[in-house]
Amino acid sequence: MTNQLDKKSQAWSALFSEPMSELVKRYTASVFFDKRLWQADITASLAHAEMLCHQGIISADDHASIARGMAQIQNDIAAGTFEWKLDLEDVHLNIEARLTQLVGDAGKRLHTGRSRNDQVATDVRLWLRGEMDLIIELLADLQNSLVDVAQLHTETILPGFTHLQVAQPVSFAHHLLAYVEMFARDAERMHDVRKRVNRLPLGSAALAGTTYPLDRERVARSLCMVDEDGHPAVCQNSLDAVSDRDFAMEFTAAASICMVHISRLSEELILWMSQNFGFIRIADRFTTGSSIMPQKKNPDVPELARGKTGRVVGHLMGLLTLMKAQPLAYNKDNQEDKEPLFDTVDTLKDTLRIFSEMVGGQWNATSGKKDGGITVHPSAMQAAAQKGYATATDLADYLVKKGLPFRDAHEVVAHAVKAAQSLGQDLSELPLKTLQQFHAEISEDVFACLSLSGSLNARNTLGGTAPEQVLLQIARHRQRLQ
Ligand code: ARG
């Protein structure tokens, strides 16, 4: 049986008078990266074929042959025995050519009422939808890891910084839960983007729609491309359907924001594990040694995550630039959407996986719990919080409660801090008599608010660092993440 698609130079029509050079073939082909879409391509083709049959556009026999051929192709690809051909340019033509080889004319009828333009847009959306569902799960895992560590450290105090200067004491739990909030929003963003990813271009054909009586909503339903109310989600304009890639830009933007959050956390882990902080240790399996300095343990994993953030943000810029000057509708430029998208997905998934484990540890079947996550050094954190007059605001608040206007209290405390600095002491170490020189209203009860735990407990309002508030937040997160 002749199979025109097997000879690329003849694949389009008799119109072409010369074959492509090897270089041009390699330049224009995408099969070596887009073969990754094979499962989505088969799934979408099966839904299309079922609809063509239901609409009486192809026969039940042809539909059965297509399903049989696709089942074999599916097995061959999964088993690694499928022969991918550069000559056949992309995943779509490779699968279709093989189908025709296996089942003859029925295979050639599959392409009725569709084009590779709506086909590729559909495949990428289906593939991305599945990856996004995994990413949403991985974001939940990471949040759970952070909450697990937070649960143990609602009373562990470290300096909270602004401008990287000691500002006010906070609990380590409160600090970690700040990241939980970020990753929760990342997951929320992914859910939202998923709604727009999960819409069906198929049936738009090359650009203008098709003359066959397709039932696009039927295809959408069989591919689970439905909106929140369960109605089929079908792209409503054929030109837009084949050329829109804003779902990919939007996903990569969400991924970039998530990587920026990871990068901020990385930066903190790196600082915290440096000798100058000594707040935490990360397990050896996430660090490397130095080839020259025997004492070194370098935080390669968080450093790489910080570095890979640049790569994902770069992919976002790549996709935006890819689209910015394209006229409607499909242009071959769009083939360049895949590698940045694939790499964004891979980088984000790996990073989320590794961070969940690095922070929260891994499951240990013998002990029945997780181990090997970060080791926290509360005493180093506490000692750091003791430096830098972290409770100065508490002294000002104390004076306000005694009737001073806040601005005056601020000034009084500035004098007290200056004096303490010159004595090399913390505010809490100054004798009551000395403190009273700055304001007569200061009495014995001041020391309760100059302690780190007093400072923490005093911030007992919604969103504050007091252990009571933080425990409420932990409970809320636990419930939300169930
Ligand atoms: N490999 C192509 C892509 O990724 C498939 C669509 C090709 N369409 C076309 N008209 N040449 O975009």
Side-chain angles (χ1 to χ4, degrees), residues 30 34 89-90 92 116-117 120 245 330-332 334-335 337-338:
S30 54
D34 70 14
E89 195 180 309
D90 58 23
H92 324 291
R116 276 188 302 154
N117 298 351
V120 69
R245 294 292 180 275
Y330 177 86
N331 302 280
K332 186 77 169 186
N334 281 352
Q335 183 164 289
D337 65 352
K338 288 169 201 63

Side-chain angles (χ1 to χ4, degrees), residues 269-286:
L269 294 173
I270 293 163
L271 283 173
W272 291 341
M273 68 177 280
S274 80
Q275 287 75 4
N276 295 324
F277 282 76
F279 288 2
I280 61 157
R281 209 179 70 83
I282 61 175
D284 283 356
R285 63 187 189 285
F286 301 105

